[in-house]
Each structure stands twice: as structure tokens, then as C-alpha cells.
Amino acid sequence: MENKPLKLFKKSDIIIILIFILLAGAALIPKYAKSESLTAVVTANGKEYTEISFSELNEDKYITVNGVTIKASKEGVCFEDSSCRDKICVNTGIINSPGEAAVCVPMNVAVYIKGGGSSSRNDDVDAVVY
Ligand SMILES: [Zn+2]
């Protein structure tokens, strides 16, 4: 008998494992792509002023509202300049992770990062510490 069922089984096992790895990889990729597509939400006077999608950002973008200049780049968003006196907002620096926020209390301007997914917890701006 030349039958070698064990060897055959091993071969198909490897194929199954490879398919499984490929499927697992394919399932993970969209998740990573999602986390890449972040949105910066700018609010002024407690209302949403504008949204900047990082994936659509080809060059630096500046938003001016209430005497505050917000810069959006591939690295994230930051308060570039503000006419407030404390400059806490400018000193916050670049924010680029979902849930992160920078606020200028005197000028009533805030910017926060929203994840690309439909996660509702990021809609909550309770993360603001200032
Ligand atoms: Zn400020």
C-alpha cells in the first residue's frame, strides 16, 4: 500500500492554515484603515463649526474662527495661533488620536479628534480637562 494519508493531511492542513491567516489578515486590514481615517471636529461657541477629514487632507489647512487659527496637517491638528492671553490652546500642541481634544476657553473654540469608525463614545467630549 502506497497510501500516505498522513502526509496528505499535513499538506491540506498547511493550506487551511494559510487560508485562515489570509482571512484573518484581510479582516484586520479594514480595522487599521479605519483608524487611519480620522476626523478633526472644530467647534466654536459650543456648536460644530467644521470637520476636517485627515484622509482627504493633501496639504496643510488653516481654519480661522473667533480669532483662533487652527492648523490641520497630516500629523494632526493644533492651535496655530490664538488671540487669547493664556495660550493654553497653542501650548497643547498637536493632537491626533481619537478622543484627544484641545480647547481655547477664552475664545470658546475647541477641536477634538473623532475616529473614522462609527464609535459613539468619541462623540462624548467628556475627555476635555480644561
Ligand atoms: Zn487659547
Side-chain angles (χ1 to χ4, degrees):
M1 289 256 283
E2 281 294 310
N3 204 352
K4 289 176 182 171
L6 263 177
K7 208 175 183 183
L8 251 168
F9 198 76
K10 266 186 183 169
K11 258 186 190 172
S12 62
D13 238 16
I14 288 161
I15 290 161
I16 288 163
I17 289 162
L18 277 173
I19 289 166
F20 187 79
I21 289 166
L22 283 170
L23 282 174
L28 281 172
I29 289 161
K31 277 184 189 168
Y32 280 113
K34 252 186 187 173
S35 71
E36 288 292 311
S37 66
L38 298 169
T39 307
V41 182
V42 179
T43 64
N45 309 319
K47 286 178 190 163
E48 191 171 318
Y49 180 73
T50 189
E51 271 192 18
I52 308 132
S53 177
F54 287 106
S55 56
E56 290 165 17
L57 210 63
N58 296 316
E59 55 188 18
D60 293 358
K61 196 174 172 180
Y62 294 88
I63 297 113
T64 306
V65 58
N66 288 10
V68 172
T69 305
I70 289 158
K71 181 191 176 187
S73 67
K74 288 273 180 205
E75 290 84 57
V77 279
C78 66
F79 280 80
E80 177 79 2
D81 191 35
S82 173
S83 43
C84 66
R85 57 180 170 78
D86 56 26
K87 300 280 187 281
I88 289 168
C89 50
V90 178
N91 290 328
T92 305
I94 291 173
I95 55 163
N96 52 21
S97 306
E100 269 193 308
V103 185
C104 183
V105 176
M107 310 314 280
N108 211 346
V109 176
V111 57
Y112 67 96
I113 307 293
K114 206 166 72 169
S118 55
S119 142
S120 56
R121 84 191 147 90
N122 288 332
D123 293 335
D124 208 333
V125 201
D126 277 347
V128 179
V129 197
Y130 301 101

